[in-house]
Amino acid sequence: MNFSSKLLENAVAEFAKLPGVGPKTALRLVLNLLKNEDSEVENFTSSILNLKHHIKYCNKCSNLSDDEICGICLNSKRDHETICIVEDTRDVMAIENTNQYFGVYHVLGGLISPMEGVGPSDLKIDQLVERIKENPPKEVILALSANMEGDTTIFYLYKRLKDFNLSISTIARGIAFGGEIEYADEITLGRSILTRVPYENSLIK
Amino acid sequence: MNFSSKLLENAVAEFAKLPGVGPKTALRLVLNLLKNEDSEVENFTSSILNLKHHIKYCNKCSNLSDDEICGICLNSKRDHETICIVEDTRDVMAIENTNQYFGVYHVLGGLISPMEGVGPSDLKIDQLVERIKENPPKEVILALSANMEGDTTIFYLYKRLKDFNLSISTIARGIAFGGEIEYADEITLGRSILTRVPYENSLIK
């Protein structure tokens, strides 16, 4: 692109580093920011710098938090004997939105991926094992994505956790609510037949 | 959304103000920024602040520029007797990319839009008239979008400029190259028949 200004070009190049933002979208976003008042642009940049400089990871569950211990881990009304293991903070938000889970979390910060050079030591797995040793929970729920990295991580976690006296479960996989059987992929459909549940158990209590 | 951190929530809210960025995309962008090194995040924010605080508008053509006069207006090899009138800097970039135009520009900074409360005095139209009075060009090309705001602006500019001794043209409208006639809308197709050009003129010289 032929930029009329080096300042504009730099800002567009920085925006275009964001995932899913190409040069044209970056230019649109930058020109939109430029239309705002100085104070609004400063609010935008300072909110990012504040986040980057002051965000903490909860000492117990490694979720993003403003304090040393996050709100969920501090909440005495939650069930601290059930730990749901998730990839990142977005999964915590998604599960919290369901209003169906009242235990606590452990955020791994990623999934094991040999292709991208992410091994078990890059994730918060040792902290999880320490946490379980100190305060053994009754149940651990593995709520990881249903792809190769997720399955690899589940298998590794199962090996690390199986000798503790706790039940290990994974979230159910199958046809989504509203999903039509004829459009489901064969693997999901096949597995949902093999892991069928008694009708009484499928009803929401 | 249930944010675990107020800092995160603020940054996401700021990103979600950008056009076409919803809360989920904003969260994805913010978490991606958070993964970067401090220095990279500071480069990102300082590129925006530098742009906002130091960008200038060219004194002649009102295009975005690092200096008082932009590179195109300073270029003595360009034809200063032809002025192409465009809405914003993106249109300058699009026309420069064609490598078919060698005159100079005048950037209006928007289009007349009574619906959005944008009148002629909000645009750089008076500056254009002054510029033409001082240095009368031979031709003015109106390269504005083919919508209601564009047509309104073209009509207004025509009224302001018609008493000067210069030729006023608009860019050609018609079926795009690669476009198929059966899929063209009726207005474009109808106008492209009415404004048909002799075959010899349609060949690129």
Side-chain angles (χ1 to χ4, degrees):
Chain A
M1 287 206 274
N2 285 310
F3 289 94
S4 60
S5 148
K6 197 78 193 160
L7 292 166
L8 181 65
E9 186 169 359
N10 288 345
V12 170
E14 287 292 334
F15 258 93
K17 287 181 189 168
L18 295 171
V21 178
K24 284 206 172 184
T25 307
L27 179 61
R28 192 163 52 88
L29 298 179
V30 169
L31 290 178
N32 184 276
L33 271 178
L34 199 55
K35 273 188 196 165
N36 291 332
E37 298 294 319
D38 273 17
S39 63
E40 289 175 284
V41 175
E42 281 152 16
N43 284 345
F44 177 80
T45 55
S46 65
S47 75
I48 297 164
L49 288 175
N50 277 337
L51 173 71
K52 183 63 188 167
H53 292 151
H54 301 302
I55 194 84
K56 296 186 179 69
Y57 292 90
C58 170
N59 282 344
K60 285 185 92 168
C61 73
S62 303
N63 194 11
L64 291 176
S65 167
D66 293 345
D67 306 299
E68 300 294 324
I69 305 284
C70 76
I72 294 174
C73 289
L74 277 178
N75 188 342
S76 61
K77 287 189 183 149
R78 298 194 71 123
D79 171 13
H80 288 258
E81 297 205 300
T82 307
I83 300 178
C84 181
I85 299 174
V86 295
E87 179 182 347
D88 68 16
T89 192
R90 272 180 290 183
D91 301 329
V92 173
M93 290 167 67
I95 294 173
E96 285 297 287
N97 274 337
T98 67
N99 288 320
Q100 297 290 321
Y101 180 68
F102 307 102
V104 291
Y105 293 91
H106 193 87
V107 179
L108 295 178
L111 295 173
I112 295 172
S113 169
M115 296 279 281
E116 290 175 27
V118 181
S121 58
D122 299 315
L123 309 176
K124 307 282 184 185
I125 293 178
D126 290 338
Q127 288 89 327
L128 173 67
V129 174
E130 281 304 309
R131 183 180 172 188
I132 289 175
K133 266 186 199 158
E134 279 173 27
N135 275 309
K138 281 192 184 137
E139 184 177 3
V140 154
I141 303 170
L142 303 169
L144 302 179
S145 293
N147 52 26
M148 205 174 67
E149 289 81 14
D151 285 343
T152 309
T153 313
I154 287 175
F155 184 66
Y156 180 85
L157 285 170
Y158 178 71
K159 283 205 303 180
R160 290 284 298 265
L161 301 179
K162 70 177 169 11
D163 295 332
F164 291 97
N165 179 27
L166 47 80
S167 77
I168 302 175
S169 55
T170 65
I171 54 170
R173 293 177 182 180
I175 309 294
F177 283 88
E180 294 188 31
I181 286 180
E182 63 182 300
Y183 299 123
D185 67 289
E186 305 87 52
I187 297 174
T188 303
L189 187 55
R191 287 291 299 263
S192 77
I193 292 172
L194 289 175
T195 59
R196 63 193 177 277
V197 293
Y199 176 63
E200 298 83 22
N201 294 5
S202 75
L203 301 170
I204 295 165
K205 285 162 212 163
Chain B
M1 287 205 275
N2 285 310
F3 289 94
S4 59
S5 147
K6 197 77 193 159
L7 293 166
L8 181 65
E9 187 170 359
N10 288 345
V12 170
E14 288 291 334
F15 258 92
K17 287 181 190 168
L18 295 172
V21 178
K24 284 205 172 183
T25 307
L27 179 61
R28 191 162 52 86
L29 299 179
V30 169
L31 290 177
N32 184 276
L33 270 176
L34 199 55
K35 273 188 195 163
N36 291 331
E37 299 294 320
D38 273 18
S39 63
E40 288 174 284
V41 175
E42 282 153 15
N43 283 345
F44 177 79
T45 55
S46 64
S47 76
I48 297 164
L49 288 175
N50 278 337
L51 174 70
K52 183 63 188 168
H53 292 152
H54 301 302
I55 195 83
K56 295 186 180 70
Y57 292 90
C58 171
N59 282 344
K60 284 185 92 169
C61 72
S62 304
N63 194 11
L64 291 176
S65 166
D66 293 345
D67 306 299
E68 300 294 323
I69 304 284
C70 75
I72 294 173
C73 288
L74 277 178
N75 188 342
S76 60
K77 285 190 186 150
R78 297 194 72 124
D79 170 14
H80 288 257
E81 299 205 299
T82 307
I83 300 179
C84 182
I85 298 174
V86 295
E87 180 182 347
D88 67 16
T89 193
R90 274 180 288 183
D91 301 329
V92 174
M93 290 167 66
I95 295 173
E96 285 297 286
N97 274 337
T98 66
N99 288 320
Q100 296 291 322
Y101 180 67
F102 307 102
V104 292
Y105 294 92
H106 193 86
V107 179
L108 296 178
L111 295 173
I112 295 172
S113 169
M115 297 279 282
E116 292 175 26
V118 181
S121 58
D122 299 314
L123 309 177
K124 308 282 184 184
I125 293 178
D126 290 337
Q127 289 89 328
L128 173 67
V129 174
E130 280 305 307
R131 183 180 172 189
I132 289 175
K133 267 185 200 161
E134 279 172 28
N135 275 308
K138 281 192 185 139
E139 184 177 2
V140 154
I141 302 171
L142 302 169
L144 301 179
S145 293
N147 52 25
M148 205 176 64
E149 289 82 14
D151 285 342
T152 309
T153 312
I154 287 174
F155 184 66
Y156 180 84
L157 286 170
Y158 178 72
K159 283 205 303 179
R160 291 284 300 265
L161 301 179
K162 71 177 169 13
D163 295 331
F164 290 98
N165 179 26
L166 45 80
S167 77
I168 302 175
S169 55
T170 65
I171 55 171
R173 294 177 181 179
I175 310 293
F177 283 89
E180 294 188 32
I181 284 179
E182 63 182 300
Y183 299 122
D185 67 288
E186 306 86 51
I187 296 174
T188 303
L189 186 55
R191 288 291 300 261
S192 78
I193 292 171
L194 288 175
T195 59
R196 62 193 177 277
V197 293
Y199 176 65
E200 297 83 24
N201 294 5
S202 75
L203 301 169
I204 295 165
K205 283 162 214 163

